[in-house]
Amino acid sequence: MINSILSKEWIKLKNYIYSVLVIVFGVLMYFSYILGFEYGNIEPESMMWYMFVHLEHKPYEMFFYLFLVFASFISIVQFVYERIRNRIKILRHLPMSYDKIIWIHLAVGLFFVTIFWILSLVFVILIFAYYYPFPLIWMVVEDFCVYLFVSWLLYLTVSFLIIEANIIKKVSKSSLLIALIIVVVRPDFSKDFTGYYIFYSPVLKEFIYQKNYGEHQFDYKSKSNQTYTQKEYESNLPFVYWKNLQIQGKLPITIDNTVFDVSDIKDARLSFEYKPEFLETEPMKLYPFFNPKSTEGMIKFPEEALFFGYKKLELYDFDNKLLSEQTVEINSLANSAWVSFPIQKVFGKPTNMKPFDLGYLFLDNENKLFHIKKEDDITTIKAVMLPKDVNVAYIHISENKLKKTAGYMIDDKSRFYIMDWDFGFRILDIQGFDYQSMKAQLLSNSMYYTFRYNDSHIYNAVVFDKEFNFIDDISLEYK
Amino acid sequence: MSKKSIIEIKNLTHFYGQKKIYDNLNLSIQEGCVFGILGKNGVGKSTLINILMGYLQPKNGQCLIFGEDSHNLSYTSKKDIALLHEGFVAYDFMTISQYEDFFAPFYVNWNKKVFYDLVDLMGLDYSQKLSTLSFGQKSQVVLGAIFAQDAKLLILDDYSMGLDAGYRRLFINYLKNYIKEKSKTVIITSHTMNDLDGLLDEFLIVQKGAIAHHDTMENFNLDKSSTFEDKFLDFVGLY
């Protein structure tokens, strides 16, 4: 009886399956063409690797939508034939368990979805491996596994929508499956909303803030509860709204007997941002390995990519893929610095859109911090001294023209450290910051550092002088 | 000796929204009886079949087939019920031989000869797809699969739908011969009466919202003043 059902399904579906196979091969050819086109128009080719890992530029993403269409299509052609006036009649009358009959049909559908998936995956990997370094293939497999799972869920959803005559069962089963799809795909429905924009006024010597009611409705107040108009508010923040002052001809400005002109204000401006999302590590630790030249002003995007592998460091370029000789050399440096594998976390800015390159910091298997950098063709790997009893949670490197601070570090106790240009760490006196749940921002201007942090309900700010001495703080509840 | 009851309908009530289809219907169909459910289109003949086959849950009451609740029939009971779906619904993507191959394994008493005898009456090629057959030709294939099951109970929902007079006559004659040889219980629904005279033992005339008449053919035909068709029309009205 099972064979009878399988045979029926094959007779029913075979022409559709052949058509889908033709489409799969058509899409594979298009995928191959588009990848060749993209690589032919980018220099160096390793930028595609960077885009793949760090910007989630997935050239095979079309297969996800293709599988979703196939899954729905197979379900429709399978079960629409079985429906007579909103009911599955012939199958229901067969002398066999109806549930068993339905699950055999579903198994057939899932089997074909999986066959398309396997075929597509094999050919995508073959094409992909020609363009991308070997370690990235695992990302393809991982992504395709998600595609398959979601396709299965969608197939079942569409099938139950067609099969179930009982509206309650129809809605409950499909809702459950759709909820599962949402859990797997994790679409981002969150809105980035800031309730308070808090600044420290160098004119008033107190915190002033803009309360955001949404829909462009704002309120301007100070810590001492003084209310301001928008114009007054902006004029009390000359380091924030300096452009207005410049247009109004009010620059340079004198504060506390010090004169600040446009360039003073612009040069002192710096901002570091932190979000809990930053804790999510890159899916694959492959980074462009910059090699700035001391005789050239601009940092070129490198041909070489550095992979922090499970047992060693690996270097790749497009023409040779794995650079065996250079890989041996760089691992020799890692061994000399007593790096232990696998590498836990890598921090750095994998872009050449920056004035300097500080390389990368990484935590090894023993949570020791190392600095790796290449400059003028010379690679260095050095251990970085961390403050005593500090376990790094996150490091943000920011190459900036001030060259005073190189970013920040947060430890596992939510303590916030400013990182000097030579990787020294200075702790900031901040109370109540929780790196797992709060967003933060460090703003620098000509006179102060302001650290703002919030959990979307309580908005806090602490202001420091240029030597990081505490001046004042504020805490506002958003209602 | 009294015959065994194959179908028992007890206090059946069913309605769609405000529209009442059956109100407290009680009915018993005995083994070997050829029972007609007659009425114009849209009065609820197929609704009763859908309830009997468990496709539809009645609002009230109970239907028993072979002593089992029709909404929860065992596989053994289903094997003993051959069902013709309204409109000769079939797998049109199959060829005639594939259609036979599909159903055969489900029924232990499957009679391949009966199936192909009916198909051969049409002189059809077994490799022809059902979708390429005329409605009349397809009906013979579907009926072939019904008769080949050698079931104890045949439920034939609107056998006449889409068939011309020739195919209807062919079917009725075949059915008469078929049940003459074997003791089968048959439920047949129809909106035309001409062909059923001489076939039915008992019938129910269904009208909108009520049962118009329940009788045996023997009793119904005592009145010789008009034809079966005319008497039927007296009950259901012309429009």
Side-chain angles (χ1 to χ4, degrees):
Chain A
M1 287 188 282
I2 292 172
N3 284 342
S4 206
I5 293 172
L6 296 180
S7 167
K8 170 181 76 81
E9 287 305 284
W10 173 242
I11 294 164
K12 186 203 291 176
L13 295 175
K14 64 181 176 187
N15 288 334
Y16 297 110
I17 299 296
Y18 295 146
S19 311
V20 168
L21 282 176
V22 170
I23 295 169
V24 166
F25 280 103
V27 174
L28 279 165
M29 283 170 73
Y30 176 72
F31 170 67
S32 175
Y33 164 76
I34 207 77
L35 213 50
F37 179 79
E38 284 191 28
Y39 269 84
N41 288 289
I42 203 159
E43 187 64 42
E45 291 89 345
S46 62
M47 198 177 280
M48 285 288 287
W49 305 351
Y50 155 74
M51 286 161 65
F52 180 78
V53 176
H54 300 279
L55 304 182
E56 294 197 7
H57 174 70
K58 308 277 176 71
Y60 50 76
E61 207 167 25
M62 63 184 95
F63 285 91
F64 178 51
Y65 302 104
L66 194 68
F67 294 147
L68 296 185
V69 172
F70 287 169
S72 311
F73 176 71
I74 290 171
S75 171
I76 290 166
V77 294
Q78 245 189 310
F79 294 110
V80 161
Y81 282 109
E82 303 289 349
R83 264 172 71 113
I84 305 159
R85 294 191 181 180
N86 299 332
R87 286 190 183 84
I88 304 288
K89 285 195 171 177
I90 298 178
L91 295 181
R92 191 181 273 275
H93 187 65
L94 291 174
M96 187 178 173
S97 157
Y98 180 62
D99 286 343
K100 193 175 173 184
I101 290 172
I102 290 300
W103 278 108
I104 293 168
H105 281 74
L106 294 175
V108 170
L110 293 173
F111 170 77
F112 283 121
V113 171
T114 311
I115 289 292
F116 296 141
W117 178 82
I118 291 170
L119 264 175
S120 305
L121 177 61
V122 168
F123 283 97
V124 163
I125 285 177
L126 288 174
I127 297 165
F128 189 87
Y130 178 76
Y131 292 101
Y132 289 87
F134 178 75
L136 299 190
I137 289 172
W138 295 112
M139 277 178 74
V140 182
V141 176
E142 211 171 87
D143 285 339
F144 266 64
C145 285
V146 174
Y147 296 174
L148 176 66
F149 190 56
V150 175
S151 305
W152 281 350
L153 293 175
L154 184 67
Y155 168 80
L156 293 174
T157 308
V158 177
S159 300
F160 286 128
L161 282 173
I162 301 172
I163 296 166
E164 284 296 349
N166 182 306
I167 193 77
I168 295 166
K169 283 184 182 174
K170 192 194 283 269
V171 170
S172 57
K173 282 184 182 175
S174 53
S175 305
L176 188 74
L177 288 161
I178 289 167
L180 210 54
I181 290 173
I182 291 170
V183 168
V184 176
V185 177
R186 289 188 297 173
D188 187 10
F189 298 122
S190 61
K191 272 189 175 177
D192 209 6
F193 179 82
T194 304
Y196 288 103
Y197 297 95
I198 308 171
F199 295 97
Y200 189 76
S201 167
V203 179
L204 301 170
K205 299 287 187 282
E206 75 165 333
F207 282 105
I208 56 173
Y209 56 86
Q210 178 181 357
K211 186 173 182 182
N212 181 6
Y213 293 99
E215 310 272 321
H216 297 282
Q217 302 287 316
F218 300 106
D219 198 6
Y220 305 93
K221 281 189 175 175
S222 68
K223 187 181 176 183
S224 57
N225 220 18
Q226 181 77 37
T227 303
Y228 298 97
T229 65
Q230 183 183 353
K231 208 170 177 184
E232 289 166 339
Y233 171 79
E234 289 178 4
S235 67
N236 282 318
L237 295 169
F239 299 145
V240 179
Y241 299 98
W242 59 272
K243 195 80 187 167
N244 291 354
L245 297 179
Q246 189 188 23
I247 292 165
Q248 291 159 17
K250 290 180 181 172
L251 288 181
I253 188 170
T254 304
I255 301 171
D256 296 347
N257 299 319
T258 306
V259 178
F260 299 98
D261 63 16
V262 174
S263 59
D264 293 331
I265 295 170
K266 278 172 76 176
D267 291 348
R269 283 165 62 86
L270 188 64
S271 164
F272 299 150
E273 195 187 14
Y274 171 76
K275 290 177 180 174
E277 297 95 279
F278 292 176
L279 296 171
E280 290 169 17
T281 51
E282 300 295 350
M284 201 52 79
K285 295 184 182 73
L286 186 86
Y287 292 81
F289 200 29
F290 296 102
N291 182 17
K293 300 283 165 45
S294 49
T295 53
E296 292 173 14
M298 209 181 98
I299 303 168
K300 280 185 187 165
F301 200 91
E303 297 269 0
E304 278 181 19
L306 172 62
F307 177 62
F308 295 84
Y310 190 74
K311 288 181 176 171
K312 62 179 181 181
L313 301 172
E314 290 171 6
L315 284 166
Y316 290 87
D317 76 4
F318 181 73
D319 296 325
N320 305 290
K321 295 291 182 288
L322 181 67
L323 296 163
S324 311
E325 210 173 294
Q326 291 90 326
T327 294
V328 170
E329 284 170 16
I330 202 168
N331 280 292
S332 156
L333 289 173
N335 291 337
S336 303
W338 298 100
V339 173
S340 62
F341 289 89
I343 303 304
Q344 302 296 312
K345 287 175 186 169
V346 180
F347 310 102
K349 227 176 187 174
T351 171
N352 61 334
M353 298 289 134
K354 52 189 179 183
F356 310 102
D357 177 48
L358 280 173
Y360 299 102
L361 292 172
F362 63 88
L363 283 174
D364 76 352
N365 196 36
E366 293 168 8
N367 278 325
K368 287 183 294 180
L369 189 65
F370 290 89
H371 176 223
I372 184 166
K373 186 177 184 326
K374 188 173 184 182
E375 191 170 17
D376 292 329
D377 299 322
I378 296 168
T379 304
T380 53
I381 300 177
K382 288 177 186 168
V384 175
M385 284 295 290
L386 283 168
K388 204 179 171 198
D389 299 327
V390 162
N391 290 312
V392 176
Y394 179 72
I395 291 177
H396 182 83
I397 295 180
S398 170
E399 293 94 342
N400 57 79
K401 284 180 182 167
L402 295 181
K403 277 192 162 183
K404 198 175 172 189
T405 55
Y408 62 83
M409 187 250 291
I410 299 170
D411 72 9
D412 62 351
K413 294 185 175 67
S414 292
R415 291 176 296 202
F416 194 92
Y417 302 78
I418 291 293
M419 191 163 67
D420 296 336
W421 198 254
D422 56 359
F423 302 121
F425 297 95
R426 184 199 303 241
I427 191 166
L428 293 193
D429 181 12
I430 294 160
Q431 306 300 318
F433 173 61
D434 175 17
Y435 78 98
Q436 305 228 17
S437 62
M438 290 180 164
K439 292 177 190 172
Q441 207 177 10
L442 184 77
L443 304 171
S444 166
N445 62 34
S446 302
M447 294 178 70
Y448 309 108
Y449 287 104
T450 308
F451 185 78
R452 306 193 297 204
Y453 53 110
N454 75 81
D455 61 1
S456 302
H457 178 57
I458 305 290
Y459 287 75
N460 308 282
V462 187
V463 67
F464 303 93
D465 66 14
K466 296 306 279 186
E467 298 307 315
F468 292 103
N469 296 309
F470 174 87
I471 297 175
D472 198 4
D473 61 9
I474 186 172
S475 187
L476 299 167
E477 187 181 359
Y478 188 82
K479 292 176 188 169
Chain B
M1 197 177 78
S2 67
K3 284 187 175 175
K4 198 167 65 177
S5 179
I6 298 293
I7 293 176
E8 284 282 344
I9 298 173
K10 296 174 183 171
N11 307 318
L12 177 75
T13 300
H14 193 72
F15 42 85
Y16 294 116
Q18 297 293 314
K19 188 182 168 190
K20 192 161 265 186
I21 307 293
Y22 292 103
D23 186 13
N24 213 25
L25 173 67
N26 288 285
L27 189 67
S28 175
I29 299 173
Q30 308 301 310
E31 186 179 17
C33 175
V34 180
F35 193 93
I37 301 171
L38 313 175
K40 290 199 289 191
N41 289 330
V43 294
K45 302 187 296 291
S46 293
T47 298
L48 186 58
I49 301 298
N50 282 333
I51 292 169
L52 286 173
M53 285 296 88
Y55 298 140
L56 204 57
Q57 181 93 47
K59 304 292 179 195
N60 271 310
Q62 193 185 27
C63 295
L64 300 174
I65 301 182
F66 302 122
E68 293 178 3
D69 193 314
S70 70
H71 216 74
N72 199 18
L73 287 175
S74 67
Y75 316 143
T76 322
S77 292
K78 279 185 180 175
K79 274 182 187 171
D80 285 331
I81 305 168
L83 174 65
L84 170 68
H85 297 278
E86 186 185 18
F88 293 94
V89 172
Y91 291 129
D92 288 357
F93 53 87
M94 287 181 168
T95 64
I96 293 170
S97 59
Q98 285 169 344
Y99 194 68
E100 194 271 333
D101 286 343
F102 172 70
F103 282 105
F106 289 97
Y107 301 97
V108 276
N109 299 327
W110 184 265
N111 191 334
K112 202 176 185 121
K113 188 178 174 303
V114 169
F115 177 83
Y116 282 111
D117 279 352
L118 261 166
V119 171
D120 289 341
L121 279 178
M122 302 288 110
L124 297 171
D125 180 350
Y126 301 164
S127 62
Q128 223 174 319
K129 268 193 178 176
L130 267 58
S131 59
T132 64
L133 302 178
S134 70
F135 198 82
Q137 289 170 330
K138 186 178 139 187
S139 69
Q140 297 307 298
V141 178
V142 176
L143 289 168
I146 301 283
F147 293 128
Q149 290 171 35
D150 195 23
K152 289 178 186 163
L153 171 64
L154 282 83
I155 298 181
L156 309 169
D157 191 9
D158 214 346
Y159 77 96
S160 62
M161 183 188 270
L163 295 186
D164 61 28
Y167 276 112
R168 291 206 306 270
R169 175 57 50 200
L170 181 72
F171 165 70
I172 293 295
N173 288 342
Y174 192 92
L175 182 61
K176 279 178 180 169
N177 287 330
Y178 182 78
I179 56 179
K180 193 162 65 182
E181 292 164 14
K182 305 171 178 191
S183 175
K184 303 289 184 191
T185 308
V186 180
I187 297 179
I188 190 163
T189 76
S190 183
H191 60 278
T192 57
M193 307 301 121
N194 329 28
D195 312 316
L196 299 180
D197 200 5
L199 173 72
L200 301 181
D201 298 319
E202 203 175 325
F203 65 90
L204 190 70
I205 296 175
V206 186
Q207 257 190 319
K208 276 181 186 171
I211 301 301
H213 194 73
H214 178 197
D215 211 345
T216 61
M217 279 304 283
E218 199 179 359
N219 194 41
F220 197 67
N221 283 335
L222 285 175
D223 174 11
K224 307 282 184 192
S225 61
S226 55
T227 64
F228 178 56
E229 178 81 7
D230 289 340
K231 280 186 274 186
F232 168 73
L233 289 174
D234 284 345
F235 277 106
V236 299
L238 274 172
Y239 301 102

